mmCIF file of all heavy atoms in Angstrom:
data_model
loop_
_atom_site.group_PDB
_atom_site.id
_atom_site.type_symbol
_atom_site.label_atom_id
_atom_site.label_comp_id
_atom_site.label_asym_id
_atom_site.label_seq_id
_atom_site.Cartn_x
_atom_site.Cartn_y
_atom_site.Cartn_z
ATOM 1 N N MET U 175 -2.294 6.220 -8.065
ATOM 2 C CA MET U 175 -1.896 5.611 -9.355
ATOM 3 C C MET U 175 -1.340 6.687 -10.280
ATOM 4 O O MET U 175 -2.014 7.666 -10.586
ATOM 5 C CB MET U 175 -3.118 4.942 -9.997
ATOM 6 C CG MET U 175 -2.725 3.976 -11.096
ATOM 7 S SD MET U 175 -4.104 2.936 -11.628
ATOM 8 C CE MET U 175 -4.996 4.062 -12.696
ATOM 9 N N ALA U 176 -0.128 6.497 -10.707
ATOM 10 C CA ALA U 176 0.506 7.481 -11.577
ATOM 11 C C ALA U 176 -0.015 7.366 -13.000
ATOM 12 O O ALA U 176 -0.320 6.278 -13.473
ATOM 13 C CB ALA U 176 2.009 7.298 -11.556
ATOM 14 N N ASP U 177 -0.107 8.503 -13.649
ATOM 15 C CA ASP U 177 -0.563 8.516 -15.038
ATOM 16 C C ASP U 177 0.529 8.005 -15.966
ATOM 17 O O ASP U 177 1.676 8.390 -15.850
ATOM 18 C CB ASP U 177 -0.924 9.939 -15.453
ATOM 19 C CG ASP U 177 -2.329 10.303 -15.013
ATOM 20 O OD1 ASP U 177 -3.085 9.395 -14.628
ATOM 21 O OD2 ASP U 177 -2.659 11.496 -15.050
ATOM 22 N N LYS U 178 0.131 7.171 -16.906
ATOM 23 C CA LYS U 178 1.082 6.738 -17.922
ATOM 24 C C LYS U 178 1.032 7.714 -19.086
ATOM 25 O O LYS U 178 -0.021 8.250 -19.411
ATOM 26 C CB LYS U 178 0.743 5.328 -18.395
ATOM 27 C CG LYS U 178 1.129 4.283 -17.390
ATOM 28 C CD LYS U 178 1.040 2.896 -18.003
ATOM 29 C CE LYS U 178 1.506 1.854 -17.015
ATOM 30 N NZ LYS U 178 1.483 0.508 -17.618
ATOM 31 N N ARG U 179 2.183 7.927 -19.664
ATOM 32 C CA ARG U 179 2.286 8.876 -20.770
ATOM 33 C C ARG U 179 3.112 8.260 -21.893
ATOM 34 O O ARG U 179 3.754 7.247 -21.724
ATOM 35 C CB ARG U 179 2.949 10.165 -20.270
ATOM 36 C CG ARG U 179 2.152 10.821 -19.160
ATOM 37 C CD ARG U 179 2.850 12.071 -18.683
ATOM 38 N NE ARG U 179 4.187 11.788 -18.214
ATOM 39 C CZ ARG U 179 4.642 12.108 -17.006
ATOM 40 N NH1 ARG U 179 3.877 12.728 -16.158
ATOM 41 N NH2 ARG U 179 5.867 11.825 -16.651
ATOM 42 N N PHE U 180 3.076 8.948 -23.027
ATOM 43 C CA PHE U 180 3.843 8.479 -24.175
ATOM 44 C C PHE U 180 5.166 9.216 -24.266
ATOM 45 O O PHE U 180 5.227 10.424 -24.045
ATOM 46 C CB PHE U 180 3.058 8.712 -25.466
ATOM 47 C CG PHE U 180 1.895 7.784 -25.634
ATOM 48 C CD1 PHE U 180 0.615 8.182 -25.288
ATOM 49 C CD2 PHE U 180 2.088 6.505 -26.145
ATOM 50 C CE1 PHE U 180 -0.465 7.324 -25.442
ATOM 51 C CE2 PHE U 180 1.015 5.638 -26.305
ATOM 52 C CZ PHE U 180 -0.264 6.045 -25.948
ATOM 53 N N PHE U 181 6.189 8.459 -24.611
ATOM 54 C CA PHE U 181 7.513 9.035 -24.826
ATOM 55 C C PHE U 181 8.043 8.522 -26.152
ATOM 56 O O PHE U 181 7.764 7.403 -26.545
ATOM 57 C CB PHE U 181 8.473 8.610 -23.705
ATOM 58 C CG PHE U 181 8.045 9.112 -22.349
ATOM 59 C CD1 PHE U 181 7.136 8.385 -21.586
ATOM 60 C CD2 PHE U 181 8.539 10.301 -21.857
ATOM 61 C CE1 PHE U 181 6.714 8.854 -20.345
ATOM 62 C CE2 PHE U 181 8.125 10.769 -20.615
ATOM 63 C CZ PHE U 181 7.215 10.051 -19.859
ATOM 64 N N ARG U 182 8.798 9.374 -26.821
ATOM 65 C CA ARG U 182 9.363 8.983 -28.111
ATOM 66 C C ARG U 182 10.874 9.175 -28.086
ATOM 67 O O ARG U 182 11.365 10.206 -27.626
ATOM 68 C CB ARG U 182 8.756 9.845 -29.230
ATOM 69 C CG ARG U 182 9.335 9.541 -30.616
ATOM 70 C CD ARG U 182 8.650 10.354 -31.687
ATOM 71 N NE ARG U 182 8.775 11.793 -31.454
ATOM 72 C CZ ARG U 182 9.850 12.508 -31.778
ATOM 73 N NH1 ARG U 182 10.881 11.943 -32.346
ATOM 74 N NH2 ARG U 182 9.890 13.798 -31.526
ATOM 75 N N CYS U 183 11.594 8.175 -28.591
ATOM 76 C CA CYS U 183 13.047 8.291 -28.726
ATOM 77 C C CYS U 183 13.331 9.236 -29.881
ATOM 78 O O CYS U 183 12.843 9.000 -30.995
ATOM 79 C CB CYS U 183 13.658 6.915 -28.994
ATOM 80 S SG CYS U 183 15.415 6.997 -29.388
ATOM 81 N N ASN U 184 14.073 10.301 -29.625
ATOM 82 C CA ASN U 184 14.311 11.253 -30.715
ATOM 83 C C ASN U 184 15.433 10.813 -31.650
ATOM 84 O O ASN U 184 15.794 11.519 -32.568
ATOM 85 C CB ASN U 184 14.514 12.681 -30.183
ATOM 86 C CG ASN U 184 15.714 12.808 -29.278
ATOM 87 O OD1 ASN U 184 16.655 12.038 -29.385
ATOM 88 N ND2 ASN U 184 15.689 13.767 -28.379
ATOM 89 N N VAL U 185 15.970 9.628 -31.414
ATOM 90 C CA VAL U 185 16.982 9.070 -32.327
ATOM 91 C C VAL U 185 16.324 8.107 -33.317
ATOM 92 O O VAL U 185 16.501 8.214 -34.519
ATOM 93 C CB VAL U 185 18.106 8.371 -31.540
ATOM 94 C CG1 VAL U 185 19.108 7.722 -32.482
ATOM 95 C CG2 VAL U 185 18.811 9.373 -30.617
ATOM 96 N N CYS U 186 15.534 7.158 -32.810
ATOM 97 C CA CYS U 186 14.977 6.120 -33.695
ATOM 98 C C CYS U 186 13.445 6.123 -33.743
ATOM 99 O O CYS U 186 12.854 5.270 -34.388
ATOM 100 C CB CYS U 186 15.482 4.743 -33.269
ATOM 101 S SG CYS U 186 14.799 4.200 -31.686
ATOM 102 N N ASN U 187 12.795 7.098 -33.056
ATOM 103 C CA ASN U 187 11.334 7.230 -33.062
ATOM 104 C C ASN U 187 10.592 6.073 -32.389
ATOM 105 O O ASN U 187 9.405 5.867 -32.628
ATOM 106 C CB ASN U 187 10.797 7.404 -34.487
ATOM 107 C CG ASN U 187 10.956 8.826 -34.959
ATOM 108 O OD1 ASN U 187 11.114 9.743 -34.149
ATOM 109 N ND2 ASN U 187 10.922 9.027 -36.252
ATOM 110 N N ASP U 188 11.274 5.319 -31.559
ATOM 111 C CA ASP U 188 10.635 4.258 -30.800
ATOM 112 C C ASP U 188 9.660 4.894 -29.803
ATOM 113 O O ASP U 188 9.948 5.936 -29.228
ATOM 114 C CB ASP U 188 11.719 3.473 -30.051
ATOM 115 C CG ASP U 188 11.150 2.233 -29.384
ATOM 116 O OD1 ASP U 188 10.611 1.391 -30.116
ATOM 117 O OD2 ASP U 188 11.247 2.113 -28.157
ATOM 118 N N ILE U 189 8.485 4.272 -29.648
ATOM 119 C CA ILE U 189 7.495 4.809 -28.710
ATOM 120 C C ILE U 189 7.482 3.968 -27.435
ATOM 121 O O ILE U 189 7.462 2.732 -27.488
ATOM 122 C CB ILE U 189 6.081 4.792 -29.344
ATOM 123 C CG1 ILE U 189 6.032 5.683 -30.581
ATOM 124 C CG2 ILE U 189 5.038 5.239 -28.316
ATOM 125 C CD1 ILE U 189 6.153 7.162 -30.298
ATOM 126 N N HIS U 190 7.508 4.658 -26.315
ATOM 127 C CA HIS U 190 7.409 3.988 -25.022
ATOM 128 C C HIS U 190 6.212 4.549 -24.290
ATOM 129 O O HIS U 190 6.002 5.752 -24.265
ATOM 130 C CB HIS U 190 8.688 4.231 -24.209
ATOM 131 C CG HIS U 190 8.614 3.675 -22.819
ATOM 132 N ND1 HIS U 190 8.869 2.347 -22.562
ATOM 133 C CD2 HIS U 190 8.295 4.247 -21.641
ATOM 134 C CE1 HIS U 190 8.702 2.143 -21.248
ATOM 135 N NE2 HIS U 190 8.363 3.280 -20.671
ATOM 136 N N TYR U 191 5.416 3.658 -23.678
ATOM 137 C CA TYR U 191 4.259 4.084 -22.907
ATOM 138 C C TYR U 191 4.481 3.675 -21.468
ATOM 139 O O TYR U 191 4.658 2.494 -21.170
ATOM 140 C CB TYR U 191 3.004 3.414 -23.474
ATOM 141 C CG TYR U 191 1.721 3.771 -22.768
ATOM 142 C CD1 TYR U 191 1.288 5.100 -22.724
ATOM 143 C CD2 TYR U 191 0.943 2.796 -22.154
ATOM 144 C CE1 TYR U 191 0.104 5.424 -22.086
ATOM 145 C CE2 TYR U 191 -0.239 3.121 -21.520
ATOM 146 C CZ TYR U 191 -0.659 4.439 -21.488
ATOM 147 O OH TYR U 191 -1.830 4.767 -20.856
ATOM 148 N N GLY U 192 4.523 4.663 -20.570
ATOM 149 C CA GLY U 192 4.769 4.332 -19.174
ATOM 150 C C GLY U 192 4.838 5.574 -18.314
ATOM 151 O O GLY U 192 4.488 6.664 -18.751
ATOM 152 N N ILE U 193 5.304 5.381 -17.088
ATOM 153 C CA ILE U 193 5.393 6.486 -16.141
ATOM 154 C C ILE U 193 6.471 7.472 -16.569
ATOM 155 O O ILE U 193 6.308 8.684 -16.455
ATOM 156 C CB ILE U 193 5.711 5.959 -14.724
ATOM 157 C CG1 ILE U 193 4.721 4.866 -14.310
ATOM 158 C CG2 ILE U 193 5.735 7.091 -13.703
ATOM 159 C CD1 ILE U 193 3.286 5.317 -14.207
ATOM 160 N N SER U 194 7.599 6.955 -17.045
ATOM 161 C CA SER U 194 8.673 7.825 -17.505
ATOM 162 C C SER U 194 9.408 7.145 -18.660
ATOM 163 O O SER U 194 9.282 5.937 -18.864
ATOM 164 C CB SER U 194 9.642 8.123 -16.368
ATOM 165 O OG SER U 194 10.257 6.928 -15.949
ATOM 166 N N GLY U 195 10.163 7.921 -19.407
ATOM 167 C CA GLY U 195 10.894 7.363 -20.543
ATOM 168 C C GLY U 195 12.078 6.543 -20.057
ATOM 169 O O GLY U 195 12.671 6.852 -19.037
ATOM 170 N N PRO U 196 12.424 5.488 -20.794
ATOM 171 C CA PRO U 196 13.591 4.681 -20.420
ATOM 172 C C PRO U 196 14.864 5.519 -20.465
ATOM 173 O O PRO U 196 14.979 6.424 -21.288
ATOM 174 C CB PRO U 196 13.641 3.602 -21.499
ATOM 175 C CG PRO U 196 12.335 3.633 -22.190
ATOM 176 C CD PRO U 196 11.784 5.007 -22.008
ATOM 177 N N GLU U 197 15.796 5.204 -19.575
ATOM 178 C CA GLU U 197 17.047 5.948 -19.555
ATOM 179 C C GLU U 197 17.867 5.623 -20.807
ATOM 180 O O GLU U 197 18.502 6.488 -21.393
ATOM 181 C CB GLU U 197 17.830 5.553 -18.310
ATOM 182 C CG GLU U 197 18.597 6.699 -17.693
ATOM 183 C CD GLU U 197 19.132 6.287 -16.339
ATOM 184 O OE1 GLU U 197 18.367 6.301 -15.359
ATOM 185 O OE2 GLU U 197 20.326 5.939 -16.282
ATOM 186 N N ILE U 198 17.810 4.357 -21.188
ATOM 187 C CA ILE U 198 18.518 3.925 -22.392
ATOM 188 C C ILE U 198 17.514 3.288 -23.345
ATOM 189 O O ILE U 198 16.743 2.416 -22.947
ATOM 190 C CB ILE U 198 19.644 2.931 -22.044
ATOM 191 C CG1 ILE U 198 20.684 3.619 -21.157
ATOM 192 C CG2 ILE U 198 20.303 2.380 -23.313
ATOM 193 C CD1 ILE U 198 21.730 2.680 -20.600
ATOM 194 N N CYS U 199 17.511 3.744 -24.587
ATOM 195 C CA CYS U 199 16.571 3.206 -25.565
ATOM 196 C C CYS U 199 16.876 1.739 -25.845
ATOM 197 O O CYS U 199 18.010 1.397 -26.186
ATOM 198 C CB CYS U 199 16.679 4.031 -26.846
ATOM 199 S SG CYS U 199 15.638 3.375 -28.166
ATOM 200 N N PRO U 200 15.873 0.852 -25.711
ATOM 201 C CA PRO U 200 16.107 -0.574 -25.972
ATOM 202 C C PRO U 200 16.361 -0.883 -27.442
ATOM 203 O O PRO U 200 16.879 -1.926 -27.779
ATOM 204 C CB PRO U 200 14.817 -1.247 -25.481
ATOM 205 C CG PRO U 200 13.789 -0.173 -25.505
ATOM 206 C CD PRO U 200 14.500 1.131 -25.282
ATOM 207 N N THR U 201 15.979 0.039 -28.311
ATOM 208 C CA THR U 201 16.127 -0.193 -29.746
ATOM 209 C C THR U 201 17.464 0.314 -30.284
ATOM 210 O O THR U 201 18.161 -0.394 -30.997
ATOM 211 C CB THR U 201 14.965 0.477 -30.506
ATOM 212 O OG1 THR U 201 13.734 -0.039 -29.994
ATOM 213 C CG2 THR U 201 15.052 0.207 -32.002
ATOM 214 N N CYS U 202 17.832 1.536 -29.935
ATOM 215 C CA CYS U 202 19.054 2.116 -30.494
ATOM 216 C C CYS U 202 20.125 2.411 -29.443
ATOM 217 O O CYS U 202 21.192 2.918 -29.782
ATOM 218 C CB CYS U 202 18.724 3.377 -31.292
ATOM 219 S SG CYS U 202 18.242 4.774 -30.257
ATOM 220 N N GLN U 203 19.818 2.115 -28.171
ATOM 221 C CA GLN U 203 20.779 2.285 -27.067
ATOM 222 C C GLN U 203 21.184 3.733 -26.787
ATOM 223 O O GLN U 203 22.151 3.982 -26.085
ATOM 224 C CB GLN U 203 22.056 1.451 -27.303
ATOM 225 C CG GLN U 203 21.978 0.049 -26.710
ATOM 226 C CD GLN U 203 21.115 -0.880 -27.554
ATOM 227 O OE1 GLN U 203 21.306 -0.947 -28.750
ATOM 228 N NE2 GLN U 203 20.185 -1.565 -26.940
ATOM 229 N N ALA U 204 20.441 4.692 -27.329
ATOM 230 C CA ALA U 204 20.747 6.092 -27.043
ATOM 231 C C ALA U 204 20.381 6.398 -25.592
ATOM 232 O O ALA U 204 19.386 5.897 -25.073
ATOM 233 C CB ALA U 204 19.961 6.997 -27.976
ATOM 234 N N LYS U 205 21.198 7.209 -24.951
ATOM 235 C CA LYS U 205 20.937 7.572 -23.564
ATOM 236 C C LYS U 205 20.102 8.844 -23.476
ATOM 237 O O LYS U 205 20.381 9.821 -24.175
ATOM 238 C CB LYS U 205 22.266 7.799 -22.823
ATOM 239 C CG LYS U 205 22.900 6.514 -22.351
ATOM 240 C CD LYS U 205 24.072 6.836 -21.429
ATOM 241 C CE LYS U 205 24.752 5.545 -20.974
ATOM 242 N NZ LYS U 205 25.919 5.856 -20.138
ATOM 243 N N ASN U 206 19.113 8.810 -22.575
ATOM 244 C CA ASN U 206 18.257 9.975 -22.322
ATOM 245 C C ASN U 206 17.707 10.600 -23.594
ATOM 246 O O ASN U 206 17.661 11.819 -23.717
ATOM 247 C CB ASN U 206 19.028 11.031 -21.508
ATOM 248 C CG ASN U 206 19.528 10.469 -20.196
ATOM 249 O OD1 ASN U 206 18.794 9.783 -19.489
ATOM 250 N ND2 ASN U 206 20.764 10.742 -19.852
ATOM 251 N N ALA U 207 17.310 9.769 -24.531
ATOM 252 C CA ALA U 207 16.835 10.281 -25.812
ATOM 253 C C ALA U 207 15.312 10.418 -25.849
ATOM 254 O O ALA U 207 14.762 10.954 -26.797
ATOM 255 C CB ALA U 207 17.304 9.372 -26.939
ATOM 256 N N TYR U 208 14.626 9.938 -24.811
ATOM 257 C CA TYR U 208 13.173 9.960 -24.833
ATOM 258 C C TYR U 208 12.607 11.313 -24.443
ATOM 259 O O TYR U 208 13.003 11.897 -23.449
ATOM 260 C CB TYR U 208 12.598 8.884 -23.906
ATOM 261 C CG TYR U 208 12.576 7.536 -24.579
ATOM 262 C CD1 TYR U 208 13.705 6.730 -24.572
ATOM 263 C CD2 TYR U 208 11.443 7.099 -25.253
ATOM 264 C CE1 TYR U 208 13.703 5.496 -25.207
ATOM 265 C CE2 TYR U 208 11.427 5.878 -25.885
ATOM 266 C CZ TYR U 208 12.550 5.076 -25.858
ATOM 267 O OH TYR U 208 12.537 3.869 -26.492
ATOM 268 N N VAL U 209 11.684 11.794 -25.260
ATOM 269 C CA VAL U 209 10.978 13.033 -24.955
ATOM 270 C C VAL U 209 9.491 12.703 -24.849
ATOM 271 O O VAL U 209 8.980 11.838 -25.563
ATOM 272 C CB VAL U 209 11.211 14.116 -26.034
ATOM 273 C CG1 VAL U 209 12.647 14.599 -25.999
ATOM 274 C CG2 VAL U 209 10.855 13.598 -27.418
ATOM 275 N N GLU U 210 8.819 13.392 -23.950
ATOM 276 C CA GLU U 210 7.390 13.138 -23.791
ATOM 277 C C GLU U 210 6.623 13.712 -24.970
ATOM 278 O O GLU U 210 6.897 14.814 -25.433
ATOM 279 C CB GLU U 210 6.899 13.774 -22.484
ATOM 280 C CG GLU U 210 5.467 13.366 -22.196
ATOM 281 C CD GLU U 210 4.984 13.881 -20.850
ATOM 282 O OE1 GLU U 210 5.790 14.359 -20.050
ATOM 283 O OE2 GLU U 210 3.764 13.788 -20.627
ATOM 284 N N ILE U 211 5.656 12.952 -25.458
ATOM 285 C CA ILE U 211 4.803 13.434 -26.547
ATOM 286 C C ILE U 211 3.350 13.230 -26.146
ATOM 287 O O ILE U 211 3.056 12.465 -25.227
ATOM 288 C CB ILE U 211 5.094 12.685 -27.870
ATOM 289 C CG1 ILE U 211 4.889 11.178 -27.700
ATOM 290 C CG2 ILE U 211 6.507 12.969 -28.359
ATOM 291 C CD1 ILE U 211 4.987 10.418 -29.012
ATOM 292 N N ASP U 212 2.440 13.897 -26.841
ATOM 293 C CA ASP U 212 1.033 13.691 -26.513
ATOM 294 C C ASP U 212 0.475 12.518 -27.312
ATOM 295 O O ASP U 212 1.096 11.989 -28.228
ATOM 296 C CB ASP U 212 0.220 14.975 -26.661
ATOM 297 C CG ASP U 212 0.199 15.489 -28.085
ATOM 298 O OD1 ASP U 212 0.220 14.666 -29.024
ATOM 299 O OD2 ASP U 212 0.145 16.715 -28.255
ATOM 300 N N LYS U 213 -0.732 12.123 -26.920
ATOM 301 C CA LYS U 213 -1.388 10.956 -27.488
ATOM 302 C C LYS U 213 -1.538 11.045 -29.006
ATOM 303 O O LYS U 213 -1.339 10.082 -29.724
ATOM 304 C CB LYS U 213 -2.774 10.862 -26.855
ATOM 305 C CG LYS U 213 -3.230 9.472 -26.538
ATOM 306 C CD LYS U 213 -4.588 9.621 -25.887
ATOM 307 C CE LYS U 213 -5.218 8.328 -25.486
ATOM 308 N NZ LYS U 213 -6.545 8.575 -24.884
ATOM 309 N N GLU U 214 -1.896 12.236 -29.474
ATOM 310 C CA GLU U 214 -2.108 12.423 -30.914
ATOM 311 C C GLU U 214 -0.812 12.234 -31.694
ATOM 312 O O GLU U 214 -0.797 11.628 -32.759
ATOM 313 C CB GLU U 214 -2.696 13.807 -31.184
ATOM 314 C CG GLU U 214 -4.089 14.009 -30.632
ATOM 315 C CD GLU U 214 -5.046 12.888 -31.037
ATOM 316 O OE1 GLU U 214 -5.151 12.604 -32.247
ATOM 317 O OE2 GLU U 214 -5.671 12.283 -30.145
ATOM 318 N N GLU U 215 0.270 12.761 -31.132
ATOM 319 C CA GLU U 215 1.555 12.606 -31.803
ATOM 320 C C GLU U 215 1.981 11.136 -31.789
ATOM 321 O O GLU U 215 2.502 10.623 -32.767
ATOM 322 C CB GLU U 215 2.614 13.481 -31.139
ATOM 323 C CG GLU U 215 3.871 13.559 -31.997
ATOM 324 C CD GLU U 215 4.987 14.384 -31.361
ATOM 325 O OE1 GLU U 215 4.690 15.179 -30.454
ATOM 326 O OE2 GLU U 215 6.123 14.220 -31.793
ATOM 327 N N ALA U 216 1.714 10.465 -30.681
ATOM 328 C CA ALA U 216 2.050 9.039 -30.581
ATOM 329 C C ALA U 216 1.318 8.247 -31.661
ATOM 330 O O ALA U 216 1.908 7.382 -32.310
ATOM 331 C CB ALA U 216 1.693 8.512 -29.203
ATOM 332 N N LYS U 217 0.050 8.558 -31.871
ATOM 333 C CA LYS U 217 -0.729 7.872 -32.896
ATOM 334 C C LYS U 217 -0.144 8.083 -34.277
ATOM 335 O O LYS U 217 -0.063 7.167 -35.081
ATOM 336 C CB LYS U 217 -2.181 8.395 -32.890
ATOM 337 C CG LYS U 217 -3.035 7.771 -31.807
ATOM 338 C CD LYS U 217 -4.455 8.273 -31.967
ATOM 339 C CE LYS U 217 -5.335 7.834 -30.813
ATOM 340 N NZ LYS U 217 -6.660 8.470 -30.895
ATOM 341 N N LYS U 218 0.273 9.325 -34.539
ATOM 342 C CA LYS U 218 0.843 9.658 -35.837
ATOM 343 C C LYS U 218 2.138 8.889 -36.070
ATOM 344 O O LYS U 218 2.339 8.312 -37.133
ATOM 345 C CB LYS U 218 1.157 11.165 -35.897
ATOM 346 C CG LYS U 218 0.092 11.966 -36.608
ATOM 347 C CD LYS U 218 0.554 13.417 -36.757
ATOM 348 C CE LYS U 218 -0.361 14.353 -36.001
ATOM 349 N NZ LYS U 218 0.202 15.712 -35.894
ATOM 350 N N VAL U 219 2.996 8.882 -35.041
ATOM 351 C CA VAL U 219 4.281 8.203 -35.177
ATOM 352 C C VAL U 219 4.076 6.707 -35.389
ATOM 353 O O VAL U 219 4.789 6.066 -36.153
ATOM 354 C CB VAL U 219 5.176 8.473 -33.945
ATOM 355 C CG1 VAL U 219 6.467 7.677 -34.024
ATOM 356 C CG2 VAL U 219 5.487 9.961 -33.829
ATOM 357 N N MET U 220 3.062 6.156 -34.728
ATOM 358 C CA MET U 220 2.811 4.722 -34.849
ATOM 359 C C MET U 220 1.990 4.382 -36.098
ATOM 360 O O MET U 220 1.692 3.217 -36.362
ATOM 361 C CB MET U 220 2.090 4.208 -33.593
ATOM 362 C CG MET U 220 2.994 4.257 -32.372
ATOM 363 S SD MET U 220 2.268 3.482 -30.906
ATOM 364 C CE MET U 220 0.967 4.636 -30.485
ATOM 365 N N GLY U 221 1.595 5.427 -36.834
ATOM 366 C CA GLY U 221 0.882 5.213 -38.086
ATOM 367 C C GLY U 221 -0.559 4.770 -37.910
ATOM 368 O O GLY U 221 -1.102 4.069 -38.749
ATOM 369 N N LEU U 222 -1.203 5.211 -36.852
ATOM 370 C CA LEU U 222 -2.608 4.840 -36.611
ATOM 371 C C LEU U 222 -3.546 5.906 -37.171
ATOM 372 O O LEU U 222 -3.208 7.063 -37.214
ATOM 373 C CB LEU U 222 -2.865 4.678 -35.107
ATOM 374 C CG LEU U 222 -2.059 3.556 -34.439
ATOM 375 C CD1 LEU U 222 -2.306 3.575 -32.949
ATOM 376 C CD2 LEU U 222 -2.438 2.200 -35.018
HETATM 377 ZN ZN1 LIG R 507 15.997 4.878 -29.881
#
């Protein structure tokens, strides 16, 4: 079972949780814009 991780779009700050970041952001359509972030950063971006 592969570990799921958090990824953030560096264009629109959309958060994706999964095995890898989407190739194209579903929110802003940027290509390869997702960078892996840690759990704490994901919480901050999501305002938790
Ligand atoms: Zn985006």
Side-chain angles (χ1 to χ4, degrees):
M175 196 168 79
D177 277 347
K178 285 191 177 183
R179 300 179 302 235
F180 288 98
F181 297 86
R182 178 177 59 81
C183 172
N184 62 26
V185 177
C186 69
N187 280 340
D188 188 60
I189 298 291
H190 175 82
Y191 180 61
I193 307 297
S194 63
E197 216 170 280
I198 297 172
C199 176
T201 303
C202 72
Q203 269 76 50
K205 278 190 182 177
N206 302 315
Y208 278 84
V209 291
E210 188 175 348
I211 58 173
D212 63 33
K213 219 178 180 181
E214 294 309 307
E215 192 182 341
K217 279 184 187 173
K218 261 186 243 168
V219 175
M220 292 187 290
L222 297 175

